[in-house]
Amino acid sequence: MHTALDVTQLIGNTPLLHLRQVSEQTGCTILGKAEFLNPGGSVKDRTALGIIRAAEQAGELQPGGRIVEGTAGNTGIGLTLVANALGYKSTVVMPITQSKEKIDSLELLGADLHLVPATSYDDSRHYVHTAERLANKMAGKEEHGAIWARQFDNPANMAIHEETTGREIWEQTDGKVDGFICSVGTGGTLAGVSAALKGNNKDVAIGIADPLGASLYSHFSKGELERSEGNSIIEGVGINHVTDNLAQAQVDHAYAISDHDALPYIYDLLQHEGLCLGGSSALNIAGAVKLAEELGPGHTIVTILCDYGTRYQSKLFNPVFLENKGLPVPPWLQI
């Protein structure tokens, strides 16, 4: 009998799921890493565990200490769950524009939640900079100290994805993976998986799926950080600066993808394959289709199914919200 000793042992080792419709559409085998099955409901559980374990090993995080992080939500949820399980406290700084469901989840889990205005990264009020200031302030006041998780630039983020996510993909495909693609929130997943896969086979094609309004498509296709035209309602991805994690990513293909093109993939998945996923999964699947079309039929492409759609129900699955944004509304959602 195998028994997990605590919730951290439930993180990772997620299955690869065959995505039938897009595989048939492209003539490729498109597989999604089912990261929504992690205990916190997202791929960010891995990042949270990697950061906490690295801080413990470095002697930075003391028993009973506090972990402070700026996040669009999922890393905060993962950090809070792991902190609860291991005897730490968590403080989460998040833009107030994030989904009501993520705000509710963090409050339910007992995080010390600070909501701040949504601003650009070069604004001192940005949630990342606010979290850093808060961590420095708390470090001197908390009985057991406090650390700033700094997921965007912490090498432990990339490392955990190289050691676990990337290794799992290689083993689960028996090394027969031709391409991997995902969108970027911090760059940790893309950098870590690209290192793991290219470390085994330098010819594995690595792609990035970037939402409109972000700058990474321009960075990887032109070598310049130019913000693309348009915008996106997809949370947790789409940035306009190169993080320390992203700087390590080995990227061969870059695609700029509109919400209008991406969102139908998750609506079809729900209606025809029984999967309710969030917006970043839509972006990732759209990117996988583009990479498959570029590589040609017969290839195996892997992407990340980041989190459940229920975390964004008030936006992604709200016909009034979608219509107001000029986005497609699936027939079964129409009023």
Side-chain angles (χ1 to χ4, degrees):
M1 182 175 71
H2 177 71
T3 303
L5 297 178
D6 61 49
V7 73
T8 66
Q9 296 188 354
L10 302 178
I11 296 173
N13 293 309
T14 56
L16 283 178
L17 185 64
H18 181 260
L19 302 180
R20 177 174 48 81
Q21 281 189 301
V22 288
S23 294
E24 291 174 356
Q25 173 188 331
T26 58
C28 286
T29 298
I30 297 182
L31 306 171
K33 195 91 164 84
E35 292 299 294
F36 54 87
L37 294 177
N38 283 305
S42 87
V43 65
K44 294 296 189 175
D45 284 10
R46 294 185 192 255
T47 300
L49 182 60
I51 287 172
I52 287 177
R53 290 304 190 203
E56 289 173 336
Q57 290 168 11
E60 297 167 357
L61 184 57
Q62 304 303 316
R66 182 175 293 277
I67 303 146
V68 183
E69 184 57 321
T71 166
N74 281 338
T75 302
I77 290 169
L79 280 170
T80 303
L81 277 182
V82 175
N84 289 353
L86 300 180
Y88 303 115
K89 300 171 184 174
S90 71
T91 292
V92 174
V93 182
M94 190 166 78
I96 199 166
T97 50
Q98 300 305 287
S99 73
K100 177 183 182 296
E101 292 84 354
K102 282 194 286 195
I103 294 170
D104 289 346
S105 294
L106 283 161
E107 291 176 340
L108 171 66
L109 296 174
D112 170 35
L113 181 60
H114 297 247
L115 297 175
V116 297
T119 61
S120 62
Y121 185 75
D122 55 11
D123 188 323
S124 65
R125 298 172 299 163
H126 188 272
Y127 65 93
V128 170
H129 309 314
T130 304
E132 181 182 12
R133 288 194 300 272
L134 205 51
N136 291 336
K137 181 179 177 182
M138 289 180 162
K141 290 185 174 182
E142 291 279 324
E143 181 183 355
H144 302 289
I147 65 163
W148 176 36
R150 63 186 190 93
Q151 60 172 329
F152 290 84
D153 299 314
N154 191 331
N157 182 355
M158 172 186 171
I160 192 74
H161 287 292
E162 181 175 1
E163 294 160 9
T164 66
T165 322
R167 175 184 54 77
E168 290 166 26
I169 290 170
W170 181 259
E171 292 174 354
Q172 288 169 326
T173 58
D174 295 321
K176 297 181 176 66
V177 54
D178 300 297
F180 173 81
I181 187 165
C182 69
S183 49
V184 163
T186 66
T189 304
L190 186 63
V193 172
S194 69
L197 296 182
K198 283 187 176 287
N200 282 294
N201 177 5
K202 62 179 176 57
D203 294 326
V204 176
I206 304 295
I208 177 174
D210 211 29
L212 296 189
S215 302
L216 298 186
Y217 166 74
S218 167
H219 172 70
F220 285 109
S221 61
K222 304 176 187 175
E224 299 174 3
L225 270 175
E226 292 178 358
R227 189 186 291 250
S228 63
E229 291 185 5
N231 52 55
S232 173
I233 66 165
I234 297 173
E235 297 183 14
V237 294
I239 58 176
N240 295 301
H241 67 288
V242 178
T243 68
D244 288 357
N245 279 291
L246 182 64
Q248 305 302 314
Q250 303 172 55
V251 175
D252 306 300
H253 305 271
Y255 307 101
I257 300 171
S258 70
D259 289 358
H260 197 278
D261 290 339
L263 293 179
Y265 285 109
I266 55 169
Y267 300 145
D268 287 346
L269 263 182
L270 179 52
Q271 187 174 16
H272 301 295
E273 299 185 52
L275 274 178
C276 182
L277 300 176
S280 53
S281 296
L283 199 59
N284 289 352
I285 295 167
V289 168
K290 286 187 175 293
L291 184 58
E293 290 171 346
E294 188 156 338
L295 296 182
H299 291 91
T300 297
I301 313 294
V302 177
T303 192
I304 301 290
L305 306 180
C306 306
D307 60 4
Y308 284 111
T310 50
R311 198 157 278 181
Y312 311 93
Q313 186 171 351
S314 58
K315 292 183 178 181
L316 290 181
F317 298 92
N318 178 347
V320 175
F321 178 85
L322 293 170
E323 286 176 357
N324 287 341
K325 295 290 184 180
L327 292 169
V329 180
W332 43 268
L333 257 189
Q334 288 175 1
I335 302 168

